Amino acid sequence: MSGALRTDDNAASGVRRADSSSAIPLLAHTEALSERVYRAILQMLGQGSLARGAMLRINDLSTTLGVSATPVREALARLAATGLVVHEARKGYRIAPPPSAERLRALMDARKLIEAAAVVRACRDGGEAFRVELAAALAAQRVEVENLHSTRRANRAERAALEWRVLEADLHFHHVIFDHAHNPFIRLMAQALNAQLHRVRQSAEHGLGDADQALLEHEAILKAVETGSPEAAEREMLRHMALVEKRSEADLLCVGSSSLSREMDEAAR
């Protein structure tokens, strides 16, 4: 089994050729194989190296990733639960289209319920360990945002990789909250409903434009947590979720405009 992903079968598995090999992520060796494969495919989706609407053939992806079919099948089933990929009977998996405006509202409504409850529970029961770990997660996110801004001349694939690191740091901030709620089902439900995963796919085509805003909103959440007031933490989390929803709606409009432009271009040929 290879640690690096192979690209021989890129065309067959819907993988786009990008400006550098960073379009295909490396499999980290610090996690279980199934988790590594899941995160690798998620990163390929987030960076746009898998074409929207493409069929995701398990055998082709296993060859590309240098692993057996089993962890790929498990990863695709997990991704189907998030809505990023769709399973079709007798056909297999394909990359899902962007969510409709109605589905996005439903996803964000569920996320608000889970995130608000989680931050109240973590603020109440997490103690000093929670505050320290959340501050560390915010510091790591700040570093990734600064790295993104300091690399203005990166090519498309390199910038996509930097944006992915920012998104991962953003999600880790929320995962710290879920972990300190001390209820494993909260994190499972959040992962299944997390509308941020839909924004990962959208950002691959339109660029990550809210890194600074998200960082400022996370800073406000941390400050509220540090006051020891679950109510203040809940208010800041709900404010953050409302702003994320507004940005997600704008992303969705951009995706729709881009799709229409592509269809008009193709019709004119």
Side-chain angles (χ1 to χ4, degrees):
M1 186 193 318
S2 171
L5 306 186
R6 294 196 291 273
T7 59
D8 325 18
D9 297 293
N10 285 356
S13 57
V15 180
R16 291 173 174 160
R17 295 190 181 278
D19 301 326
S20 81
S21 59
S22 62
I24 307 296
L26 296 178
L27 291 181
H29 290 284
T30 56
E31 300 166 323
L33 179 60
S34 60
E35 182 67 19
R36 285 154 48 197
V37 171
Y38 169 78
R39 291 171 70 81
I41 296 175
L42 181 60
Q43 183 174 352
M44 292 162 76
L45 288 165
Q47 292 182 199
S49 51
L50 289 168
R52 178 178 294 158
M55 295 303 298
L56 299 174
R57 298 180 180 87
I58 290 173
N59 290 340
D60 293 335
L61 280 172
S62 354
T63 301
T64 300
L65 294 168
V67 298
S68 69
T70 299
V72 173
R73 190 176 292 109
E74 292 171 352
L76 291 175
R78 285 179 65 187
L79 288 166
T82 71
L84 279 172
V85 303
V86 176
H87 183 261
E88 297 178 346
R90 296 186 296 277
K91 290 184 179 179
Y93 293 92
R94 65 176 174 82
I95 300 174
S100 65
E102 182 180 1
R103 182 171 175 79
L104 178 63
R105 283 193 295 272
L107 283 165
M108 287 305 305
D109 184 51
R111 187 176 175 191
K112 288 172 190 174
L113 292 171
I114 293 171
E115 297 264 9
V119 79
V120 167
R121 177 76 65 86
C123 193
R124 188 185 67 205
D125 302 337
E128 183 63 18
F130 168 53
R131 291 188 286 274
V132 169
E133 194 172 342
L134 195 64
L138 180 67
Q141 182 183 355
R142 186 179 295 110
V143 168
E144 297 301 345
V145 171
E146 289 171 354
N147 288 341
L148 178 64
H149 290 325
S150 66
T151 317
R152 297 291 184 183
R153 297 182 180 179
N155 63 37
R156 180 180 173 184
E158 290 168 342
R159 186 163 183 83
L162 289 168
E163 290 180 348
W164 171 258
R165 291 179 64 88
V166 171
L167 285 164
E168 284 234 299
D170 183 303
L171 290 172
H172 177 63
F173 180 89
H174 290 271
H175 288 168
V176 169
I177 296 171
F178 302 147
D179 288 345
H180 282 274
H182 301 300
N183 185 327
F185 293 104
I186 288 178
R187 183 163 183 169
L188 286 173
M189 292 168 68
Q191 287 177 334
L193 295 169
N194 201 337
Q196 181 70 28
L197 294 178
H198 290 274
R199 298 194 67 247
V200 168
R201 176 184 51 204
Q202 293 161 7
S203 71
E205 293 189 3
H206 301 281
L208 185 64
D210 69 342
D212 292 318
Q213 297 98 309
L215 183 63
L216 288 172
E217 291 156 24
H218 284 185
E219 287 175 351
I221 292 169
L222 176 62
K223 286 178 182 176
V225 166
E226 289 175 337
T227 67
S229 167
E231 294 77 15
E234 181 182 27
R235 276 196 305 273
E236 289 301 334
M237 179 61 77
L238 289 173
R239 176 176 170 273
H240 175 44
M241 290 294 101
L243 292 170
V244 168
E245 183 172 13
K246 184 180 292 187
R247 294 193 292 267
S248 297
E249 288 171 349
D251 285 346
L252 206 56
L253 288 174
C254 288
V255 170
S257 299
S258 295
S259 298
L260 179 60
S261 297
R262 282 196 298 271
E263 288 172 6
M264 292 176 66
D265 289 344
E266 289 171 3
R269 287 173 188 166

